[in-house]
Amino acid sequence: YWENRMAVFGEDRCYLPMTLDGAAREEVGDMRSESLTYSNSVLPVRDANGRAVVYVKANRMGRTDAIGMEKMMRAFWYVLDTAASSSDGLQNGFVVVVNGTDIQRRHFSVKVFRLIRQLLWDILPTKAKCTHLCHPSKVNYYIVQPL
């Protein structure tokens, strides 16, 4: 966890609290910008089993041209860490709901996808319990699933 967090956040922010004024302080403006608005967030509701729900709008996740790959990954790490470290997240884990509406090849980044997959299943101490893909496009069948 810490080695990966160091690689994503750098030495100066790695050990700061995962808050908007701590490790994620430089991404606050980007998370509020059009580039990242509603691309990923922890929903204010829980599923039937009390798990935090992370919503991902897939066609915005690959838009690294607007803010850069590193900022995109730090913002997503913040969202997942927030879900995983909430009191119910520590006990029950969290679920991810991915909206695949209108995703095209230009929205997809192999590097982003691999880091997200690592965060969900390997890096974070609390694991995603499941991932739901709603409204999949052809990109999902031909590019994402084979990875």
Side-chain angles (χ1 to χ4, degrees):
Y1 173 84
W2 291 106
E3 290 172 6
N4 288 290
R5 188 164 158 170
M6 174 79 75
V8 172
F9 285 92
E11 190 173 323
D12 59 327
R13 295 192 289 159
C14 175
Y15 299 106
L16 293 175
M18 188 56 68
T19 61
L20 291 176
D21 59 351
R25 69 179 178 261
E26 292 181 19
E27 286 68 48
V28 172
D30 295 315
M31 285 190 270
R32 292 183 180 144
S33 75
E34 184 179 324
S35 300
L36 279 179
T37 302
Y38 306 115
S39 63
N40 56 73
S41 58
V42 179
L43 298 181
V45 296
R46 301 293 183 244
D47 74 354
N49 294 314
R51 297 178 293 214
V53 179
V54 176
Y55 172 79
V56 177
K57 186 157 173 95
N59 69 355
R60 290 189 176 256
M61 287 303 296
R63 295 182 62 186
T64 58
D65 56 325
I67 65 162
M69 178 78 70
E70 292 78 20
K71 285 189 175 193
M72 174 72 74
M73 295 318 308
R74 287 191 296 263
F76 196 66
W77 185 302
Y78 166 78
V79 169
L80 289 180
D81 198 87
T82 300
S85 61
S86 64
S87 59
D88 46 354
L90 290 171
Q91 292 176 342
N92 303 319
F94 60 96
V95 297
V96 180
V97 177
V98 179
N99 181 345
T101 303
D102 298 327
I103 189 167
Q104 299 172 12
R105 173 62 183 103
R106 65 186 170 91
H107 299 126
F108 185 76
S109 164
V110 173
K111 185 174 181 179
V112 170
F113 177 76
R114 285 188 176 150
L115 185 56
I116 289 170
R117 188 175 63 189
Q118 285 180 309
L119 278 171
L120 291 174
W121 308 116
D122 300 326
I123 295 173
L124 292 174
T126 304
K127 306 296 183 245
K129 297 298 181 183
C130 62
T131 303
H132 302 282
L133 175 62
C134 304
H135 311 293
S137 68
K138 290 181 180 181
V139 170
N140 178 67
Y141 298 112
Y142 298 117
I143 297 175
V144 178
Q145 283 183 340
L147 292 174

